[in-house]
C-alpha cells in the first residue's frame, strides 16, 4: 500500500458488541454494517464464531456474514477461537479469519482454555482446512498476537515468548500475524520496538496490521507510531464501542471517527467519507441506547474548511 493510504478495519460489530451487555438485534447490525461500508470502510470484522452460551451477542454471526457478503467490495472478517469456528466461518463465506493467540499463556488458558501448543495445533488444523478448499474460496488467515504489550494477569510478557509465538503461527500456516494491544498497555515506544522485533522474525510483509485499544488514552499516539513504522492496517471501532470494565471512562478500541480524522488531516487517505461515517454512528447510537459512545470528532464536528485526503494512487 502506498505511503499516503491506510486500510481501516472496523471491528465494532465484533470487538465492540461482544463487550456490551446489551445485544444488538440482527436487523440493526445489518443496517449499521451497510452504513459503515457505504461510508467507504472496506474491511469489517462482523462477528465471531464462538459458543452462543459464552457470547450470545455473536449468535447471529453466520447471518451477518451472509449479509455483509452482499455488499460489493467489502472484505468480511471474523474472529474464531478454534477449528470449529473456522469451519463455520468457511461455510458462511468469510473472506478473512483471525485466530487470536494470547502471548500470555495464563490469559490464553483463561480466555479460550488452551495452552500455546494447543492454539498452534488449532492454527495448523485451520490452515489444513483452508488448503483443502479451491484456491478462489480460501479465506485470508491471520494469527493475532493478543496481549502483546502486557497482560492484566501476567503483566509484561518477555519479548522472546512473543517472537516464538509469531514464528510458530507463521510455521503453522498463517498468511500473516497481527499485533494486538488487548489491554491498552502499549505506548508509542513499545509499539515501535515490538513491530521491529516481530518483523525481524516473520518478515516485513507478514506484519501489516495492529489492533490497538485506547484504554489509557494512548490509542492515537500508538496508531501514529505504528503508521510511521510502516503499518498499513488499523483496527478500530466506531464510538470506541465496548468500553473496558477495568478502566472506567476509557473507550475500548481506538475510535474509528477520530482515527480516520487523524489520517485524513495528515493527508493520508482512508477512502472513508467522514460525514457518512458520522451518519453510521447514528444507527449505532439508536441500536445501543445504553452504551456510551466515545470520540472527539463526533462531539466537536469537522473543522471549517476541512478537506479529506486524496490518495495519489486510486483505489481499485
Ligand atoms: Zn480488542
Amino acid at each position: 500500500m502506498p505511503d499516503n493510504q491506510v486500510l481501516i478495519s472496523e471491528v465494532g460489530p465484533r470487538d465492540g458488541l461482544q463487550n456490551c451487555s446489551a445485544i444488538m438485534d440482527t436487523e440493526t447490525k445489518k443496517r449499521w454494517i451497510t452504513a459503515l461500508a457505504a461510508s467507504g470502510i472496506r474491511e469489517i470484522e462482523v462477528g465471531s464464531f464462538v459458543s452462543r452460551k459464552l457470547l450470545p451477542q455473536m449468535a447471529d454471526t453466520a447471518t451477518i456474514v451472509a449479509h455483509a457478503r452482499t455488499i460489493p467490495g467489502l472484505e468480511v472478517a471474523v474472529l474464531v477461537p478454534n477449528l470449529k469456528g473456522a469451519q463455520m466461518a468457511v461455510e458462511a463465506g468469510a473472506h478473512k479469519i483471525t485466530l487470536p493467540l494470547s502471548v500470555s499463556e495464563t490469559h490464553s488458558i483463561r480466555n479460550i482454555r488452551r495452552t500455546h501448543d494447543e492454539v498452534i495445533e488449532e492454527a495448523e488444523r485451520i490452515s489444513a482446512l483452508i488448503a483443502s478448499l479451491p484456491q478462489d474460496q480460501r479465506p485470508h488467515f491471520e494469527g493475532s498476537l493478543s496481549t502483546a504489550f502486557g497482560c492484566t494477569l501476567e503483566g509484561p510478557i518477555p519479548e522472546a515468548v512473543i517472537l516464538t509465538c509469531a514464528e510458530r503461527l507463521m510455521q503453522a500456516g498463517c498468511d500473516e500475524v497481527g499485533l494486538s494491544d488487548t489491554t491498552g498497555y502499549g505506548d508509542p515506544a513499545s509499539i515501535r520496538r515490538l513491530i521491529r522485533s516481530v518483523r525481524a522474525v516473520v518478515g516485513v510483509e507478514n506484519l501489516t496490521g495492529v489492533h490497538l485499544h485506547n484504554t489509557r488514552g494512548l490509542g492515537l499516539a500508538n496508531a501514529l507510531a505504528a503508521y510511521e513504522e510502516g503499518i498499513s492496517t488499523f483496527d478500530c471501532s466506531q464510538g470506541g464501542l465496548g468500553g473496558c470494565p477495568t478502566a472506567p471512562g476509557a473507550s475500548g478500541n481506538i475510535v474509528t471517527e477520530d482515527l480516520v480524522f487523524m489520517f485524513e488531516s495528515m493527508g493520508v487517505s482512508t477512502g472513508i467519507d467522514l460525514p457518512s461515517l458520522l451518519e453510521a454512528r447514528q444507527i449505532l447510537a439508536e441500536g445501543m441506547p445504553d452504551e456510551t459512545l466515545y470520540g472527539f470528532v463526533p462531539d466537536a464536528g469537522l473543522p471549517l474548511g476541512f478537506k479529506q485526503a486524496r490518495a495519489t494512487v486510486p483505489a481499485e
Side-chain angles (χ1 to χ4, degrees), residues 89-107:
V90 164
E91 267 166 48
H95 301 127
K96 180 178 171 185
I97 293 179
T98 299
L99 173 77
L101 189 168
S102 186
V103 296
S104 154
E105 199 156 27
T106 314
H107 180 259

Side-chain angles (χ1 to χ4, degrees), residues 14-15 211 213 253:
R14 197 279 302 170
D15 205 347
H211 176 102
H213 280 228
N253 292 274

Side-chain angles (χ1 to χ4, degrees), residues 11 14-16 18-19 45 180-183 211-213 235 252-253:
V11 300
R14 197 279 302 170
D15 205 347
Q18 82 172 28
N19 283 302
E45 195 169 71
S180 290
D181 185 11
T182 318
T183 52
H211 176 102
L212 304 169
H213 280 228
D235 288 6
N253 292 274

Side-chain angles (χ1 to χ4, degrees), residues 30-40 276-277 279-280 283:
K30 287 183 187 173
R31 276 203 299 136
W32 181 34
I33 288 166
T34 301
L36 286 167
S39 78
S276 314
L277 183 62
E279 281 171 31
I283 300 173

Side-chain angles (χ1 to χ4, degrees), residues 168-191:
R168 292 185 73 191
L169 279 171
M170 290 307 294
Q171 281 162 1
C174 287
D175 296 311
E176 65 173 312
V177 295
L179 277 179
S180 290
D181 185 11
T182 318
T183 52
Y185 279 20
D187 61 76
S190 63
I191 299 279

